[in-house]
Amino acid sequence: MVLEATVLIIDNSEWSRNGDYMPTRYDAQVDAVRYLFNVKTSDNPENTVGVIANGGSSPQVLVSLTSDQGVLLRGLHELSVRGTSHFDIGIQIAQLVLKHRANKHQKQRIITFTTSPIETDEKTLVRLGKKLKKNGVSIDVISFGEHVANEQKLAAFVEAANNNDMSHLVTVPPGAHVLSEQIRASAIVGGASSGGEGGDFEFGVDPDMDPELALALRMSMQEEEERQRRDAASRPEAASSGAGQGAEHADGDVMMEDVEDEEIREAIRMSLMDGQGESSTGNAKNDDLVASLIGSLPGVDSNDPALQNALGPDSKKDEDESKDKGKGK
């Protein structure tokens, strides 16, 4: 984490009323200032940020170096659009503010917005850039609105102030985009150098704009991951226990099927035996009945061969046994 003191310079000149950037050039700067303040103070709790407005008759220090967001909001509330921009004078005042910072261990940085034509000549800007470099002050310039007219001057100025690639020029053309989002994707906050910080946010929430929501979402994700790990750890134990119970159930089912099959076979055997006994007893009773009926008929000889053949050998045998039983009596 970089320990740094930063001064943000807003171009609140009449040129900032234009609406070619959403919602206007002025409002886009105010939103970007809030974003940069959160970025710097979140990066290191000892970082401080100040704000200067360079529009009007002369630049004005709105917020001295602070890490209190309430102080920033009060200062922005007093800001209004007026006059012309004083690009070089605003930077010189910002350098004085950084020189008198309380913590001398803080590195010095100026981030300036420019949305109006720069009247200062290129040589003066180059001389100012070399002075910043000599005093160890890094400069980031965010050019939009009149970026085409200012491109050559700003490029020369940033090149003169650059030391170890610590100064940057970011040009934002007009379009359906938010200025703070373009800054987030730039090298000013590490988007270009980190190769991904300017991409999509984790959970779709910017932690710099809404740190409490981002923290709550991150904690919720960690709790969910912990729950999934516990479920994964308990799943093998449940699987092994379930396999043992399944084997026991399978063995029990096989034993029950064997018992049931044995009982069914026993029931069928007993049923067949009862059927055979009842069949033989029934046949004997029927034969006795037929023989007694034939013997009681008048004029019918039960010993007639034709009648015996018609009744069958079993009937004749039964009739003979009946007669023998009668003689015995």
Side-chain angles (χ1 to χ4, degrees):
M1 296 184 295
V2 179
L3 179 61
E4 195 172 60
T6 306
V7 175
L8 307 176
I9 303 177
I10 298 178
D11 184 354
N12 61 322
S13 65
E14 293 293 338
W15 289 84
S16 64
R17 295 185 185 273
N18 292 348
D20 50 351
Y21 292 81
M22 297 189 301
T24 64
R25 295 181 184 181
Y26 170 76
D27 293 325
Q29 289 181 86
V30 172
D31 177 66
V33 165
R34 292 197 192 100
Y35 167 71
L36 289 171
F37 182 90
N38 288 327
V39 169
K40 294 300 181 179
T41 55
S42 299
D43 187 46
N44 192 315
E46 296 186 16
N47 283 355
T48 54
V49 179
V51 180
I52 293 176
N54 66 1
S57 58
S58 62
Q60 177 187 2
V61 178
L62 297 176
V63 180
S64 299
L65 292 174
T66 181
S67 58
D68 188 348
Q69 190 174 22
V71 176
L72 171 74
L73 296 177
R74 286 195 297 270
L76 292 177
H77 181 70
E78 299 174 358
L79 184 62
S80 62
V81 176
R82 62 182 184 271
T84 59
S85 174
H86 306 275
F87 180 79
D88 55 333
I89 299 176
I91 293 175
Q92 293 176 31
I93 294 176
Q95 184 179 358
L96 290 175
V97 171
L98 292 173
K99 183 178 180 180
H100 294 88
R101 66 192 184 281
N103 187 352
K104 299 301 181 180
H105 295 287
Q106 292 174 321
K107 295 183 178 180
Q108 306 173 79
R109 179 173 295 277
I110 299 173
I111 301 178
T112 180
F113 296 85
T114 173
T115 185
S116 58
I118 297 175
E119 299 178 357
T120 308
D121 61 87
E122 184 175 333
K123 290 184 178 180
T124 303
L125 292 177
V126 170
R127 188 164 54 249
L128 177 60
K130 291 180 178 180
K131 183 179 179 181
L132 294 174
K133 182 178 180 179
K134 179 180 178 180
N135 294 326
V137 180
S138 302
I139 180 78
D140 295 322
V141 180
I142 302 171
S143 175
F144 67 107
E146 304 302 317
H147 56 282
V148 176
N150 297 331
E151 183 176 3
Q152 183 176 348
K153 292 181 180 180
L154 292 176
F157 168 66
V158 172
E159 183 179 358
N162 192 17
N163 184 19
N164 296 325
D165 198 26
M166 295 297 293
S167 299
H168 310 91
L169 171 61
V170 177
T171 302
V172 182
H177 45 247
V178 181
L179 180 62
S180 58
E181 292 294 315
Q182 299 300 310
I183 296 173
R184 178 178 61 82
S186 69
I188 292 178
V189 292
S193 59
S194 63
E197 188 172 334
D200 294 335
F201 291 116
E202 184 181 14
F203 313 115
V205 177
D206 185 354
D208 297 320
M209 301 301 293
D210 198 342
E212 294 181 356
L213 178 58
L215 178 60
L217 292 173
R218 188 175 297 106
M219 292 177 63
S220 177
M221 176 62 69
Q222 291 174 354
E223 291 176 357
E224 177 63 19
E225 292 176 352
E226 180 64 23
R227 185 189 66 80
Q228 293 179 359
R229 282 195 293 268
R230 289 197 302 266
D231 292 344
S234 62
R235 193 173 295 116
E237 298 178 0
S240 59
S241 175
Q245 294 178 358
E248 293 177 0
H249 287 314
D251 294 340
D253 293 340
V254 172
M255 294 177 63
M256 288 296 295
E257 290 177 359
D258 293 341
V259 172
E260 291 176 357
D261 292 344
E262 184 64 27
E263 291 178 351
I264 292 173
R265 285 195 294 270
E266 183 65 22
I268 293 173
R269 185 170 60 254
M270 293 178 65
S271 176
L272 291 175
M273 292 175 64
D274 293 343
Q276 290 175 358
E278 292 177 359
S279 178
S280 60
T281 305
N283 290 336
K285 291 180 179 181
N286 291 337
D287 292 342
D288 293 340
L289 179 60
V290 172
S292 61
L293 288 174
I294 292 175
S296 64
L297 292 175
V300 178
D301 185 6
S302 59
N303 296 323
D304 188 358
L307 181 60
Q308 294 295 331
N309 291 334
L311 294 175
D314 293 336
S315 298
K316 182 178 178 181
K317 180 180 179 180
D318 293 338
E319 185 179 355
D320 293 340
E321 291 178 354
S322 178
K323 288 181 179 182
D324 292 339
K325 291 179 181 179
K327 290 179 181 180
K329 292 179 181 180

